Amino acid sequence: MLEVSNIRSNTAEIKNRLARRSNASYDALIDQILKLDDARKSTQSELDEILAKSNQLAGQIGVLYKSGKADEANDLKKQTSELKERSTELKETLQATERDLKECLYQVPNAPHTSVPKGSNETDNEVVREGGPEVTLSETALPHWDLADRYKLIDFELGVKITGAGFPVYTGKGAKLQRALINFFLNEATEAGYQEIIPPLLVNEASGIGTGQLPDKEGQMYHAAKDDLYLIPTAEVPLTNIYRDVILDEKDFPVMLCGYTPCFRREAGSYGKDVRGLNRLHQFDKVEIVQIVEPEDSYNVLEKMVAHVEELLQKLELPYRVLKLCGGDLGFASAMTYDMEVYSAAQKKWLEVSSISNFETFQSNRLKLRYKGADTKKPVLAHTLNGSALALPRILAALLENNQTETGINLPEILVPYAGFKTIEK
RNA sequence: GGAGGGAUGGGUGAGUGGCUGAAACCACAUGUUUGCUAAACAUGCGUACUUAGAAAUGGGUACCGGGGGUUCGAAUCCCCCUCCCUCCGCCA
């Protein structure tokens, strides 16, 4: 959620930045927000004046009663009834205005950073760089769902039986490989200075609002209705919400957290070839990294987080590329996002394995996540960032496909000690 | 799931209708004193909105888990909700 004060003092700039999203104009909504805020202010100050008067009268009445002048007190009481009527009215108006204002604010996405390329969809994303080895496979190379079946690594049918589509069952070396990847990712994050967290997998409504999944995108999350709890779509939600309603000290920066969790996504309405095998799941595993930093550091930190993920892909010996998302492809809460994709040689396409974003104050404004410094006398909103480091399924898909031979699958060097085996054979 | 108790500022905790934005203590910050550290003393120390001001700072309003009610006036009384604790039940 953007700050009204920011919208007010930088109206033109915010509008310009929002225009980078290019799918719609937010000008009218921004103007509406300013209008509502004006209304809010004037109602507020009229109300405050009346309340000040009431408080004053109440004080006088108290004194009069104490000194036994009940008659005079009763006279004053009469005066208060009128004020009370008016203040009740104003309170109602104020509540309505604040509700409308909030509703408008919830509809405005984050303002993209000025360096974000304009564009309407993923074809306009900017390839920043590519890396990793070049992989060429024979014509007989198999996609990962066939490999998973041949080497008994993942049983998709069994998942359907137990739960439904999109809930794979990992078996044998498939399961061990999952565990190896999780440990590898967590160790690398620890090495990089992130504190490891095991958070709850279900969160309450306030947490969903804090990171921006609610109120609009509840369709994306599984909801345990009886207890009104949501299954997390990413560890970002519980990890970032650790700092909801927190005022940090400057000295606490940078806050660096990582956590492995399963992630649950309803992903309604996706069918067909793009979602075969591991490409799109309702439940998958992911290690997430989160940072909370001072505003002036956040874009440096974003680059560092990208570098961290890039290093993971290099160590896994996967062909990858770094994309800078264009305005049209940018997530609702993000000011700038890099996507990391790995090349799946058998499917002959790029698979998104990580998304690393700077949310600036968009999340922290909702979270009321602030900090105090030596030269900030009032608390200031911190910047939040997060990224996948990494999401497992598509990494697994690329690993299986790119490293296949006629007789088996060779693991990259780095994973061998984690997995306890070098190759997967029949 | 059943019965009872509770929720106050960074922490402990006082406060049962007006003089309480809230005592006291601890923590923290600054200053004084003292070879250093420590101790002692002094002062300061919540958040949001708003208003005046260039700023320093001052004024107003709201906030004592959340929402609603009673009252001229609520941290204090009433109702609902949430969370925590104790006991019982169930259970990895």
Side-chain angles (χ1 to χ4, degrees):
Chain A
M1 185 163 70
L2 293 174
E3 297 151 89
V4 180
S5 59
N6 189 18
I7 293 176
R8 184 173 288 284
S9 47
N10 304 304
T11 312
E13 190 203 323
I14 298 273
K15 281 180 176 174
N16 273 331
R17 285 175 63 178
L18 280 167
R20 291 181 178 273
R21 290 189 177 264
S22 75
N23 35 5
S25 171
Y26 293 96
D27 289 5
L29 199 51
I30 294 293
D31 292 338
Q32 173 76 358
I33 284 168
L34 290 176
K35 226 173 89 186
L36 283 168
D37 192 50
D38 283 338
R40 193 208 98 236
K41 268 194 204 181
S42 67
T43 310
Q44 175 81 260
S45 47
E46 196 187 335
L47 176 62
D48 283 356
E49 236 170 84
I50 284 167
L51 289 177
K53 237 176 253 171
S54 309
N55 287 343
Q56 203 195 336
L57 284 175
Q60 286 173 16
I61 290 168
V63 173
L64 288 172
Y65 271 126
K66 283 267 156 67
S67 50
K69 297 173 183 163
D71 290 349
E72 288 180 46
N74 282 325
D75 284 347
L76 285 183
K77 266 197 200 181
K78 280 173 201 150
Q79 289 183 41
T80 60
S81 65
E82 208 175 304
L83 290 174
K84 196 166 186 192
E85 218 169 279
R86 182 71 185 135
S87 73
T88 310
E89 252 173 60
L90 286 169
K91 270 183 200 165
E92 277 164 18
T93 312
L94 186 64
Q95 259 179 21
T97 310
E98 280 177 342
R99 199 190 48 233
D100 292 349
L101 179 60
K102 203 164 209 178
E103 229 162 74
C104 286
L105 283 168
Y106 278 149
Q107 288 173 46
V108 183
N110 203 351
H113 188 265
T114 48
S115 76
V116 168
K118 284 193 180 174
S120 46
N121 56 53
E122 67 271 8
T123 57
D124 296 320
N125 292 337
E126 185 182 300
V127 178
V128 179
R129 57 183 172 273
E130 300 194 18
E134 205 171 298
V135 178
T136 38
L137 295 176
S138 73
E139 281 308 305
T140 56
L142 298 171
H144 69 268
W145 48 87
D146 287 337
L147 293 167
D149 189 44
R150 172 189 281 197
Y151 298 107
K152 304 266 177 280
L153 303 174
I154 307 168
D155 194 329
F156 291 100
E157 298 300 312
L158 193 52
V160 171
K161 172 185 168 186
I162 299 170
T163 307
F167 293 89
V169 176
Y170 300 89
T171 58
K173 283 187 173 171
K176 288 197 191 308
L177 202 45
Q178 288 289 109
R179 187 148 58 86
L181 283 166
I182 292 163
N183 282 333
F184 167 58
F185 292 148
L186 284 174
N187 281 0
E188 293 287 319
T190 302
E191 196 100 331
Y194 291 91
Q195 192 202 352
E196 190 170 333
I197 303 280
I198 299 181
L201 305 182
L202 280 84
V203 295
N204 56 29
E205 189 189 19
S207 293
I209 291 172
T211 33
Q213 282 71 27
L214 298 174
D216 281 340
K217 289 173 275 299
E218 60 263 84
Q220 189 197 93
M221 290 192 287
Y222 287 96
H223 184 215
K226 198 158 187 180
D227 299 290
D228 197 17
L229 295 172
Y230 295 86
L231 276 73
I232 57 169
T234 158
E236 163 196 348
V237 179
L239 291 186
T240 313
N241 271 283
I242 291 173
Y243 289 91
R244 170 155 48 85
D245 293 320
V246 167
I247 299 179
L248 290 163
D249 191 284
E250 207 172 21
K251 293 190 289 265
D252 301 327
F253 289 129
V255 174
M256 301 172 78
L257 306 176
C258 70
Y260 151 70
T261 67
C263 302
F264 304 92
R265 298 193 182 174
R266 296 185 67 232
E267 305 272 14
S270 24
Y271 301 98
K273 191 155 133 288
D274 281 353
V275 305
R276 274 203 81 171
L278 294 169
N279 288 352
R280 207 168 190 132
L281 300 170
H282 287 309
Q283 179 181 329
F284 64 95
D285 295 303
K286 180 160 65 66
V287 171
E288 182 81 0
I289 50 176
V290 169
Q291 290 213 41
I292 299 165
V293 301
E294 278 182 279
E296 53 268 39
D297 293 339
S298 66
Y299 280 96
N300 274 335
V301 167
L302 180 64
E303 297 299 326
K304 276 192 207 161
M305 290 170 76
V306 170
H308 174 75
V309 175
E310 213 173 331
E311 202 183 314
L312 296 178
L313 296 173
Q314 283 164 2
K315 286 184 176 171
L316 290 172
E317 301 167 46
L318 289 169
Y320 69 89
R321 62 180 189 184
V322 183
L323 300 180
K324 187 165 174 176
L325 295 194
C326 73
D329 206 23
L330 209 56
F332 188 80
S334 173
M336 197 198 282
T337 296
Y338 288 102
D339 268 10
M340 311 293 282
E341 296 184 335
V342 297
Y343 191 69
S344 148
Q347 295 179 75
K348 294 198 170 55
K349 65 178 184 186
W350 291 97
L351 302 175
E352 181 191 332
V353 292
S354 177
S355 193
I356 306 155
S357 303
N358 185 355
F359 301 99
E360 297 191 357
T361 60
F362 195 85
Q363 288 184 329
S364 57
N365 189 29
R366 286 199 186 185
L367 292 160
K368 293 201 187 69
L369 162 48
R370 295 165 293 173
Y371 74 96
K372 272 184 180 170
D375 33 56
T376 59
K377 44 181 202 304
K378 295 195 96 188
V380 176
L381 292 174
H383 280 196
T384 63
L385 304 96
N386 67 51
S388 356
L390 279 160
L392 295 234
R394 295 176 195 160
I395 290 286
L396 185 62
L399 283 176
L400 297 180
E401 291 177 8
N402 295 7
N403 297 311
Q404 62 181 296
T405 66
E406 291 298 321
T407 54
I409 294 161
N410 299 315
L411 293 200
E413 202 67 36
I414 191 89
L415 284 183
V416 173
Y418 285 100
F421 53 87
K422 277 184 182 165
T423 57
I424 298 168
E425 290 148 335
K426 246 188 165 165

